[in-house]
Amino acid sequence: DAGVIQSPRHEVTEMGQEVTLRCKPISGHNSLFWYRQTMMRGLELLIYFNNNVPIDDSGMPEDRFSAKMPNASFSTLKIQPSEPRDSAVYFCASTHTTGQETQYFGPGTRLLVL
Amino acid sequence: GENVEQHPSTLSVQEGDSAVIKCTYSDSASNYFPWYKQELGKRPQLIIDIRSNVGEKKDQRIAVTLNKTAKHFSLHITETQPEDSAVYFCAASMGGGYNKLIFGAGTRLAVHP
């Protein structure tokens, strides 16, 4: 069974450009989480979905960030326009919401905004 | 808001020694406490977890203890090896039934040969 899949693995872009990160959760998982990891702020939860519905987006830093989950097997995190301070590793994780279940992380997207 | 505090932030031990990492949480409804290990450039991976109905759980050289009254839990690694060197994160679930986790800030463990 494939784990969580993220693309791209690395992204280098210039300030002001739009960035789209993609995630495919583990098949059968119905909760999906987007995290951002930096040295300064650690692992931050940005937003999470349950059954494709956004439940809590209080971690989204500002309006430049948006996330969608059009179906159970795909989610996107978009930054528009990007800024250098958005440089980080972005992880997607998925789990079942049937109880106390483990979150499984994808390999992450390393984003560098110049 | 709800938070998880993790100590120490860095830990250096000699190979073969034990390492202990401690976390405290604030949400009394938390009932699931996983520990993740993250090697440099890799994703966080679950190494052990404990649920609120258990006080202790062990898996080979790794053990976790939970004190719900005091709201703290700890990771114990015995007979440390250089490959144990990594950043370790504790986490606690939040109420609401959606498995939202609050992560600690991480502990960078270095095991010296």
Side-chain angles (χ1 to χ4, degrees), chain B residues 46-80:
Chain B
L46 180 80
I47 55 171
I48 195 168
D49 57 14
I50 191 167
R51 305 178 195 277
S52 59
N53 59 345
V54 176
E56 184 174 358
K57 182 177 179 181
K58 189 173 182 179
D59 182 4
Q60 299 183 358
R61 297 185 297 108
I62 296 173
V64 58
T65 58
L66 171 65
N67 183 329
K68 285 216 73 178
T69 302
K71 296 184 188 175
H72 66 71
F73 56 114
S74 301
L75 177 72
H76 304 252
I77 306 174
T78 58
E79 301 173 25
T80 53

PDB file of all heavy atoms in Angstrom, chain B residues 46-80:
ATOM      1  N   LEU B  46       6.148   7.659  13.136  1.00  0.00           N
ATOM      2  CA  LEU B  46       5.714   7.184  14.445  1.00  0.00           C
ATOM      3  C   LEU B  46       6.651   6.102  14.956  1.00  0.00           C
ATOM      4  O   LEU B  46       6.993   5.167  14.228  1.00  0.00           O
ATOM      5  CB  LEU B  46       4.303   6.618  14.344  1.00  0.00           C
ATOM      6  CG  LEU B  46       3.733   6.081  15.655  1.00  0.00           C
ATOM      7  CD1 LEU B  46       3.234   7.228  16.500  1.00  0.00           C
ATOM      8  CD2 LEU B  46       2.603   5.086  15.394  1.00  0.00           C
ATOM      9  N   ILE B  47       7.071   6.229  16.210  1.00  0.00           N
ATOM     10  CA  ILE B  47       7.885   5.179  16.804  1.00  0.00           C
ATOM     11  C   ILE B  47       7.141   4.441  17.907  1.00  0.00           C
ATOM     12  O   ILE B  47       7.374   3.250  18.137  1.00  0.00           O
ATOM     13  CB  ILE B  47       9.232   5.717  17.343  1.00  0.00           C
ATOM     14  CG1 ILE B  47       9.028   6.873  18.326  1.00  0.00           C
ATOM     15  CG2 ILE B  47      10.136   6.130  16.189  1.00  0.00           C
ATOM     16  CD1 ILE B  47      10.296   7.283  19.043  1.00  0.00           C
ATOM     17  N   ILE B  48       6.263   5.124  18.604  1.00  0.00           N
ATOM     18  CA  ILE B  48       5.471   4.493  19.648  1.00  0.00           C
ATOM     19  C   ILE B  48       4.341   5.440  20.009  1.00  0.00           C
ATOM     20  O   ILE B  48       4.458   6.654  19.819  1.00  0.00           O
ATOM     21  CB  ILE B  48       6.341   4.151  20.896  1.00  0.00           C
ATOM     22  CG1 ILE B  48       5.614   3.182  21.835  1.00  0.00           C
ATOM     23  CG2 ILE B  48       6.767   5.417  21.627  1.00  0.00           C
ATOM     24  CD1 ILE B  48       6.523   2.584  22.914  1.00  0.00           C
ATOM     25  N   ASP B  49       3.253   4.894  20.499  1.00  0.00           N
ATOM     26  CA  ASP B  49       2.157   5.743  20.970  1.00  0.00           C
ATOM     27  C   ASP B  49       1.521   5.099  22.194  1.00  0.00           C
ATOM     28  O   ASP B  49       1.729   3.913  22.473  1.00  0.00           O
ATOM     29  CB  ASP B  49       1.109   5.988  19.870  1.00  0.00           C
ATOM     30  CG  ASP B  49       0.520   4.698  19.298  1.00  0.00           C
ATOM     31  OD1 ASP B  49       0.701   3.619  19.906  1.00  0.00           O
ATOM     32  OD2 ASP B  49      -0.118   4.766  18.226  1.00  0.00           O
ATOM     33  N   ILE B  50       0.781   5.904  22.929  1.00  0.00           N
ATOM     34  CA  ILE B  50       0.108   5.397  24.117  1.00  0.00           C
ATOM     35  C   ILE B  50      -1.263   6.037  24.193  1.00  0.00           C
ATOM     36  O   ILE B  50      -1.447   7.195  23.820  1.00  0.00           O
ATOM     37  CB  ILE B  50       0.951   5.656  25.396  1.00  0.00           C
ATOM     38  CG1 ILE B  50       0.382   4.886  26.588  1.00  0.00           C
ATOM     39  CG2 ILE B  50       1.054   7.148  25.699  1.00  0.00           C
ATOM     40  CD1 ILE B  50       1.333   4.836  27.778  1.00  0.00           C
ATOM     41  N   ARG B  51      -2.214   5.256  24.676  1.00  0.00           N
ATOM     42  CA  ARG B  51      -3.581   5.756  24.780  1.00  0.00           C
ATOM     43  C   ARG B  51      -3.921   5.926  26.249  1.00  0.00           C
ATOM     44  O   ARG B  51      -3.258   5.351  27.118  1.00  0.00           O
ATOM     45  CB  ARG B  51      -4.524   4.807  24.053  1.00  0.00           C
ATOM     46  CG  ARG B  51      -4.092   4.606  22.611  1.00  0.00           C
ATOM     47  CD  ARG B  51      -4.938   3.641  21.815  1.00  0.00           C
ATOM     48  NE  ARG B  51      -4.264   3.243  20.570  1.00  0.00           N
ATOM     49  CZ  ARG B  51      -4.277   3.949  19.448  1.00  0.00           C
ATOM     50  NH1 ARG B  51      -4.931   5.077  19.400  1.00  0.00           N
ATOM     51  NH2 ARG B  51      -3.634   3.528  18.375  1.00  0.00           N
ATOM     52  N   SER B  52      -4.956   6.689  26.512  1.00  0.00           N
ATOM     53  CA  SER B  52      -5.199   7.171  27.869  1.00  0.00           C
ATOM     54  C   SER B  52      -5.557   6.077  28.862  1.00  0.00           C
ATOM     55  O   SER B  52      -5.509   6.310  30.067  1.00  0.00           O
ATOM     56  CB  SER B  52      -6.304   8.225  27.858  1.00  0.00           C
ATOM     57  OG  SER B  52      -7.494   7.670  27.323  1.00  0.00           O
ATOM     58  N   ASN B  53      -5.913   4.895  28.388  1.00  0.00           N
ATOM     59  CA  ASN B  53      -6.291   3.825  29.309  1.00  0.00           C
ATOM     60  C   ASN B  53      -5.098   2.977  29.746  1.00  0.00           C
ATOM     61  O   ASN B  53      -5.261   1.968  30.432  1.00  0.00           O
ATOM     62  CB  ASN B  53      -7.360   2.938  28.671  1.00  0.00           C
ATOM     63  CG  ASN B  53      -6.887   2.317  27.367  1.00  0.00           C
ATOM     64  OD1 ASN B  53      -5.894   2.745  26.794  1.00  0.00           O
ATOM     65  ND2 ASN B  53      -7.606   1.309  26.904  1.00  0.00           N
ATOM     66  N   VAL B  54      -3.901   3.404  29.344  1.00  0.00           N
ATOM     67  CA  VAL B  54      -2.682   2.649  29.652  1.00  0.00           C
ATOM     68  C   VAL B  54      -1.677   3.592  30.282  1.00  0.00           C
ATOM     69  O   VAL B  54      -1.560   4.750  29.889  1.00  0.00           O
ATOM     70  CB  VAL B  54      -2.080   2.043  28.368  1.00  0.00           C
ATOM     71  CG1 VAL B  54      -0.766   1.346  28.655  1.00  0.00           C
ATOM     72  CG2 VAL B  54      -3.071   1.079  27.727  1.00  0.00           C
ATOM     73  N   GLY B  55      -0.949   3.100  31.269  1.00  0.00           N
ATOM     74  CA  GLY B  55       0.035   3.941  31.940  1.00  0.00           C
ATOM     75  C   GLY B  55       1.441   3.813  31.375  1.00  0.00           C
ATOM     76  O   GLY B  55       2.254   4.719  31.543  1.00  0.00           O
ATOM     77  N   GLU B  56       1.701   2.675  30.723  1.00  0.00           N
ATOM     78  CA  GLU B  56       3.041   2.443  30.219  1.00  0.00           C
ATOM     79  C   GLU B  56       2.964   1.485  29.036  1.00  0.00           C
ATOM     80  O   GLU B  56       2.132   0.592  28.997  1.00  0.00           O
ATOM     81  CB  GLU B  56       3.940   1.856  31.301  1.00  0.00           C
ATOM     82  CG  GLU B  56       5.391   1.671  30.884  1.00  0.00           C
ATOM     83  CD  GLU B  56       6.277   1.226  32.039  1.00  0.00           C
ATOM     84  OE1 GLU B  56       5.777   1.102  33.166  1.00  0.00           O
ATOM     85  OE2 GLU B  56       7.478   0.995  31.798  1.00  0.00           O
ATOM     86  N   LYS B  57       3.878   1.706  28.088  1.00  0.00           N
ATOM     87  CA  LYS B  57       3.949   0.821  26.927  1.00  0.00           C
ATOM     88  C   LYS B  57       5.405   0.697  26.518  1.00  0.00           C
ATOM     89  O   LYS B  57       6.148   1.679  26.560  1.00  0.00           O
ATOM     90  CB  LYS B  57       3.116   1.394  25.781  1.00  0.00           C
ATOM     91  CG  LYS B  57       3.066   0.542  24.534  1.00  0.00           C
ATOM     92  CD  LYS B  57       2.142   1.189  23.509  1.00  0.00           C
ATOM     93  CE  LYS B  57       2.080   0.386  22.225  1.00  0.00           C
ATOM     94  NZ  LYS B  57       1.183   1.044  21.232  1.00  0.00           N
ATOM     95  N   LYS B  58       5.801  -0.514  26.150  1.00  0.00           N
ATOM     96  CA  LYS B  58       7.198  -0.744  25.813  1.00  0.00           C
ATOM     97  C   LYS B  58       7.308  -1.465  24.479  1.00  0.00           C
ATOM     98  O   LYS B  58       6.501  -2.343  24.167  1.00  0.00           O
ATOM     99  CB  LYS B  58       7.870  -1.565  26.912  1.00  0.00           C
ATOM    100  CG  LYS B  58       9.376  -1.682  26.769  1.00  0.00           C
ATOM    101  CD  LYS B  58       9.987  -2.371  27.979  1.00  0.00           C
ATOM    102  CE  LYS B  58      11.506  -2.444  27.853  1.00  0.00           C
ATOM    103  NZ  LYS B  58      12.130  -3.088  29.032  1.00  0.00           N
ATOM    104  N   ASP B  59       8.318  -1.097  23.722  1.00  0.00           N
ATOM    105  CA  ASP B  59       8.607  -1.761  22.446  1.00  0.00           C
ATOM    106  C   ASP B  59      10.118  -1.827  22.302  1.00  0.00           C
ATOM    107  O   ASP B  59      10.757  -0.863  21.907  1.00  0.00           O
ATOM    108  CB  ASP B  59       7.976  -0.989  21.281  1.00  0.00           C
ATOM    109  CG  ASP B  59       8.202  -1.680  19.940  1.00  0.00           C
ATOM    110  OD1 ASP B  59       8.770  -2.789  19.917  1.00  0.00           O
ATOM    111  OD2 ASP B  59       7.797  -1.112  18.911  1.00  0.00           O
ATOM    112  N   GLN B  60      10.669  -2.958  22.663  1.00  0.00           N
ATOM    113  CA  GLN B  60      12.108  -3.194  22.619  1.00  0.00           C
ATOM    114  C   GLN B  60      12.832  -2.139  23.454  1.00  0.00           C
ATOM    115  O   GLN B  60      12.642  -2.100  24.680  1.00  0.00           O
ATOM    116  CB  GLN B  60      12.581  -3.222  21.160  1.00  0.00           C
ATOM    117  CG  GLN B  60      11.925  -4.341  20.359  1.00  0.00           C
ATOM    118  CD  GLN B  60      12.418  -4.438  18.929  1.00  0.00           C
ATOM    119  OE1 GLN B  60      13.238  -3.656  18.461  1.00  0.00           O
ATOM    120  NE2 GLN B  60      11.911  -5.418  18.211  1.00  0.00           N
ATOM    121  N   ARG B  61      13.645  -1.290  22.863  1.00  0.00           N
ATOM    122  CA  ARG B  61      14.425  -0.329  23.648  1.00  0.00           C
ATOM    123  C   ARG B  61      13.666   0.960  23.950  1.00  0.00           C
ATOM    124  O   ARG B  61      14.205   1.863  24.606  1.00  0.00           O
ATOM    125  CB  ARG B  61      15.712   0.014  22.905  1.00  0.00           C
ATOM    126  CG  ARG B  61      16.654  -1.148  22.701  1.00  0.00           C
ATOM    127  CD  ARG B  61      17.980  -0.690  22.062  1.00  0.00           C
ATOM    128  NE  ARG B  61      17.797  -0.131  20.739  1.00  0.00           N
ATOM    129  CZ  ARG B  61      17.913   1.168  20.446  1.00  0.00           C
ATOM    130  NH1 ARG B  61      18.203   2.048  21.401  1.00  0.00           N
ATOM    131  NH2 ARG B  61      17.761   1.588  19.205  1.00  0.00           N
ATOM    132  N   ILE B  62      12.449   1.049  23.475  1.00  0.00           N
ATOM    133  CA  ILE B  62      11.669   2.284  23.639  1.00  0.00           C
ATOM    134  C   ILE B  62      10.488   2.033  24.558  1.00  0.00           C
ATOM    135  O   ILE B  62       9.806   1.008  24.433  1.00  0.00           O
ATOM    136  CB  ILE B  62      11.175   2.780  22.264  1.00  0.00           C
ATOM    137  CG1 ILE B  62      12.363   3.168  21.383  1.00  0.00           C
ATOM    138  CG2 ILE B  62      10.228   3.959  22.427  1.00  0.00           C
ATOM    139  CD1 ILE B  62      11.958   3.514  19.966  1.00  0.00           C
ATOM    140  N   ALA B  63      10.249   2.978  25.451  1.00  0.00           N
ATOM    141  CA  ALA B  63       9.096   2.886  26.337  1.00  0.00           C
ATOM    142  C   ALA B  63       8.498   4.273  26.506  1.00  0.00           C
ATOM    143  O   ALA B  63       9.199   5.282  26.397  1.00  0.00           O
ATOM    144  CB  ALA B  63       9.496   2.314  27.692  1.00  0.00           C
ATOM    145  N   VAL B  64       7.217   4.307  26.742  1.00  0.00           N
ATOM    146  CA  VAL B  64       6.534   5.564  27.009  1.00  0.00           C
ATOM    147  C   VAL B  64       5.681   5.390  28.262  1.00  0.00           C
ATOM    148  O   VAL B  64       5.083   4.335  28.472  1.00  0.00           O
ATOM    149  CB  VAL B  64       5.671   6.016  25.805  1.00  0.00           C
ATOM    150  CG1 VAL B  64       4.639   4.976  25.446  1.00  0.00           C
ATOM    151  CG2 VAL B  64       5.029   7.355  26.058  1.00  0.00           C
ATOM    152  N   THR B  65       5.676   6.407  29.114  1.00  0.00           N
ATOM    153  CA  THR B  65       4.858   6.407  30.311  1.00  0.00           C
ATOM    154  C   THR B  65       3.908   7.595  30.254  1.00  0.00           C
ATOM    155  O   THR B  65       4.228   8.634  29.671  1.00  0.00           O
ATOM    156  CB  THR B  65       5.719   6.505  31.577  1.00  0.00           C
ATOM    157  OG1 THR B  65       6.509   7.708  31.521  1.00  0.00           O
ATOM    158  CG2 THR B  65       6.650   5.306  31.692  1.00  0.00           C
ATOM    159  N   LEU B  66       2.759   7.437  30.856  1.00  0.00           N
ATOM    160  CA  LEU B  66       1.732   8.473  30.853  1.00  0.00           C
ATOM    161  C   LEU B  66       1.176   8.653  32.252  1.00  0.00           C
ATOM    162  O   LEU B  66       0.807   7.677  32.913  1.00  0.00           O
ATOM    163  CB  LEU B  66       0.596   8.088  29.895  1.00  0.00           C
ATOM    164  CG  LEU B  66      -0.669   8.950  29.918  1.00  0.00           C
ATOM    165  CD1 LEU B  66      -0.373  10.367  29.451  1.00  0.00           C
ATOM    166  CD2 LEU B  66      -1.770   8.311  29.077  1.00  0.00           C
ATOM    167  N   ASN B  67       1.109   9.900  32.687  1.00  0.00           N
ATOM    168  CA  ASN B  67       0.486  10.244  33.958  1.00  0.00           C
ATOM    169  C   ASN B  67      -0.621  11.247  33.643  1.00  0.00           C
ATOM    170  O   ASN B  67      -0.366  12.442  33.472  1.00  0.00           O
ATOM    171  CB  ASN B  67       1.522  10.851  34.922  1.00  0.00           C
ATOM    172  CG  ASN B  67       0.937  11.169  36.280  1.00  0.00           C
ATOM    173  OD1 ASN B  67      -0.245  11.498  36.412  1.00  0.00           O
ATOM    174  ND2 ASN B  67       1.753  11.077  37.307  1.00  0.00           N
ATOM    175  N   LYS B  68      -1.849  10.757  33.535  1.00  0.00           N
ATOM    176  CA  LYS B  68      -2.956  11.635  33.138  1.00  0.00           C
ATOM    177  C   LYS B  68      -3.291  12.643  34.218  1.00  0.00           C
ATOM    178  O   LYS B  68      -3.735  13.762  33.932  1.00  0.00           O
ATOM    179  CB  LYS B  68      -4.182  10.803  32.783  1.00  0.00           C
ATOM    180  CG  LYS B  68      -4.101  10.094  31.454  1.00  0.00           C
ATOM    181  CD  LYS B  68      -5.444  10.053  30.758  1.00  0.00           C
ATOM    182  CE  LYS B  68      -5.828  11.407  30.203  1.00  0.00           C
ATOM    183  NZ  LYS B  68      -7.103  11.401  29.478  1.00  0.00           N
ATOM    184  N   THR B  69      -3.098  12.275  35.463  1.00  0.00           N
ATOM    185  CA  THR B  69      -3.407  13.201  36.555  1.00  0.00           C
ATOM    186  C   THR B  69      -2.521  14.433  36.465  1.00  0.00           C
ATOM    187  O   THR B  69      -2.981  15.568  36.603  1.00  0.00           O
ATOM    188  CB  THR B  69      -3.228  12.512  37.912  1.00  0.00           C
ATOM    189  OG1 THR B  69      -4.077  11.365  37.951  1.00  0.00           O
ATOM    190  CG2 THR B  69      -3.566  13.462  39.045  1.00  0.00           C
ATOM    191  N   ALA B  70      -1.255  14.189  36.220  1.00  0.00           N
ATOM    192  CA  ALA B  70      -0.291  15.283  36.135  1.00  0.00           C
ATOM    193  C   ALA B  70      -0.209  15.864  34.726  1.00  0.00           C
ATOM    194  O   ALA B  70       0.489  16.857  34.504  1.00  0.00           O
ATOM    195  CB  ALA B  70       1.079  14.800  36.592  1.00  0.00           C
ATOM    196  N   LYS B  71      -0.850  15.225  33.762  1.00  0.00           N
ATOM    197  CA  LYS B  71      -0.814  15.642  32.356  1.00  0.00           C
ATOM    198  C   LYS B  71       0.603  15.663  31.822  1.00  0.00           C
ATOM    199  O   LYS B  71       1.039  16.645  31.196  1.00  0.00           O
ATOM    200  CB  LYS B  71      -1.473  17.017  32.171  1.00  0.00           C
ATOM    201  CG  LYS B  71      -2.961  17.039  32.493  1.00  0.00           C
ATOM    202  CD  LYS B  71      -3.544  18.414  32.191  1.00  0.00           C
ATOM    203  CE  LYS B  71      -4.954  18.529  32.667  1.00  0.00           C
ATOM    204  NZ  LYS B  71      -5.478  19.904  32.491  1.00  0.00           N
ATOM    205  N   HIS B  72       1.320  14.598  32.058  1.00  0.00           N
ATOM    206  CA  HIS B  72       2.617  14.508  31.414  1.00  0.00           C
ATOM    207  C   HIS B  72       2.925  13.089  30.979  1.00  0.00           C
ATOM    208  O   HIS B  72       2.377  12.119  31.513  1.00  0.00           O
ATOM    209  CB  HIS B  72       3.745  15.113  32.252  1.00  0.00           C
ATOM    210  CG  HIS B  72       4.051  14.420  33.536  1.00  0.00           C
ATOM    211  ND1 HIS B  72       4.652  13.173  33.605  1.00  0.00           N
ATOM    212  CD2 HIS B  72       3.886  14.816  34.818  1.00  0.00           C
ATOM    213  CE1 HIS B  72       4.818  12.849  34.873  1.00  0.00           C
ATOM    214  NE2 HIS B  72       4.364  13.821  35.626  1.00  0.00           N
ATOM    215  N   PHE B  73       3.756  12.995  29.953  1.00  0.00           N
ATOM    216  CA  PHE B  73       4.164  11.704  29.412  1.00  0.00           C
ATOM    217  C   PHE B  73       5.616  11.795  28.973  1.00  0.00           C
ATOM    218  O   PHE B  73       6.129  12.882  28.707  1.00  0.00           O
ATOM    219  CB  PHE B  73       3.245  11.244  28.276  1.00  0.00           C
ATOM    220  CG  PHE B  73       3.098  12.205  27.124  1.00  0.00           C
ATOM    221  CD1 PHE B  73       3.569  11.873  25.867  1.00  0.00           C
ATOM    222  CD2 PHE B  73       2.424  13.420  27.271  1.00  0.00           C
ATOM    223  CE1 PHE B  73       3.414  12.732  24.791  1.00  0.00           C
ATOM    224  CE2 PHE B  73       2.263  14.286  26.198  1.00  0.00           C
ATOM    225  CZ  PHE B  73       2.761  13.937  24.956  1.00  0.00           C
ATOM    226  N   SER B  74       6.272  10.663  28.969  1.00  0.00           N
ATOM    227  CA  SER B  74       7.717  10.640  28.731  1.00  0.00           C
ATOM    228  C   SER B  74       8.101   9.513  27.786  1.00  0.00           C
ATOM    229  O   SER B  74       7.451   8.464  27.758  1.00  0.00           O
ATOM    230  CB  SER B  74       8.469  10.447  30.048  1.00  0.00           C
ATOM    231  OG  SER B  74       8.185  11.478  30.961  1.00  0.00           O
ATOM    232  N   LEU B  75       9.182   9.757  27.060  1.00  0.00           N
ATOM    233  CA  LEU B  75       9.774   8.746  26.174  1.00  0.00           C
ATOM    234  C   LEU B  75      11.104   8.317  26.775  1.00  0.00           C
ATOM    235  O   LEU B  75      11.916   9.170  27.159  1.00  0.00           O
ATOM    236  CB  LEU B  75      10.001   9.323  24.774  1.00  0.00           C
ATOM    237  CG  LEU B  75      10.679   8.401  23.770  1.00  0.00           C
ATOM    238  CD1 LEU B  75       9.724   7.288  23.339  1.00  0.00           C
ATOM    239  CD2 LEU B  75      11.149   9.196  22.547  1.00  0.00           C
ATOM    240  N   HIS B  76      11.301   7.009  26.868  1.00  0.00           N
ATOM    241  CA  HIS B  76      12.537   6.471  27.409  1.00  0.00           C
ATOM    242  C   HIS B  76      13.188   5.593  26.350  1.00  0.00           C
ATOM    243  O   HIS B  76      12.551   4.673  25.826  1.00  0.00           O
ATOM    244  CB  HIS B  76      12.247   5.628  28.658  1.00  0.00           C
ATOM    245  CG  HIS B  76      11.499   6.347  29.729  1.00  0.00           C
ATOM    246  ND1 HIS B  76      12.078   6.744  30.909  1.00  0.00           N
ATOM    247  CD2 HIS B  76      10.197   6.757  29.800  1.00  0.00           C
ATOM    248  CE1 HIS B  76      11.154   7.360  31.666  1.00  0.00           C
ATOM    249  NE2 HIS B  76      10.023   7.382  31.002  1.00  0.00           N
ATOM    250  N   ILE B  77      14.440   5.894  26.047  1.00  0.00           N
ATOM    251  CA  ILE B  77      15.205   5.060  25.109  1.00  0.00           C
ATOM    252  C   ILE B  77      16.383   4.479  25.881  1.00  0.00           C
ATOM    253  O   ILE B  77      17.191   5.224  26.448  1.00  0.00           O
ATOM    254  CB  ILE B  77      15.722   5.865  23.908  1.00  0.00           C
ATOM    255  CG1 ILE B  77      14.574   6.612  23.209  1.00  0.00           C
ATOM    256  CG2 ILE B  77      16.412   4.934  22.908  1.00  0.00           C
ATOM    257  CD1 ILE B  77      15.035   7.551  22.103  1.00  0.00           C
ATOM    258  N   THR B  78      16.460   3.172  25.937  1.00  0.00           N
ATOM    259  CA  THR B  78      17.572   2.526  26.635  1.00  0.00           C
ATOM    260  C   THR B  78      18.606   2.041  25.626  1.00  0.00           C
ATOM    261  O   THR B  78      18.314   1.880  24.441  1.00  0.00           O
ATOM    262  CB  THR B  78      17.070   1.329  27.464  1.00  0.00           C
ATOM    263  OG1 THR B  78      16.416   0.397  26.585  1.00  0.00           O
ATOM    264  CG2 THR B  78      16.092   1.781  28.531  1.00  0.00           C
ATOM    265  N   GLU B  79      19.815   1.841  26.132  1.00  0.00           N
ATOM    266  CA  GLU B  79      20.915   1.321  25.299  1.00  0.00           C
ATOM    267  C   GLU B  79      20.996   2.070  23.969  1.00  0.00           C
ATOM    268  O   GLU B  79      20.966   1.472  22.890  1.00  0.00           O
ATOM    269  CB  GLU B  79      20.733  -0.171  25.051  1.00  0.00           C
ATOM    270  CG  GLU B  79      20.691  -0.998  26.332  1.00  0.00           C
ATOM    271  CD  GLU B  79      20.335  -2.458  26.079  1.00  0.00           C
ATOM    272  OE1 GLU B  79      20.581  -2.947  24.951  1.00  0.00           O
ATOM    273  OE2 GLU B  79      19.793  -3.100  26.990  1.00  0.00           O
ATOM    274  N   THR B  80      21.102   3.376  24.057  1.00  0.00           N
ATOM    275  CA  THR B  80      21.064   4.201  22.855  1.00  0.00           C
ATOM    276  C   THR B  80      22.184   3.826  21.880  1.00  0.00           C
ATOM    277  O   THR B  80      23.286   3.412  22.275  1.00  0.00           O
ATOM    278  CB  THR B  80      21.177   5.695  23.196  1.00  0.00           C
ATOM    279  OG1 THR B  80      22.334   5.900  24.012  1.00  0.00           O
ATOM    280  CG2 THR B  80      19.941   6.178  23.921  1.00  0.00           C
TER     281      THR B  80
END
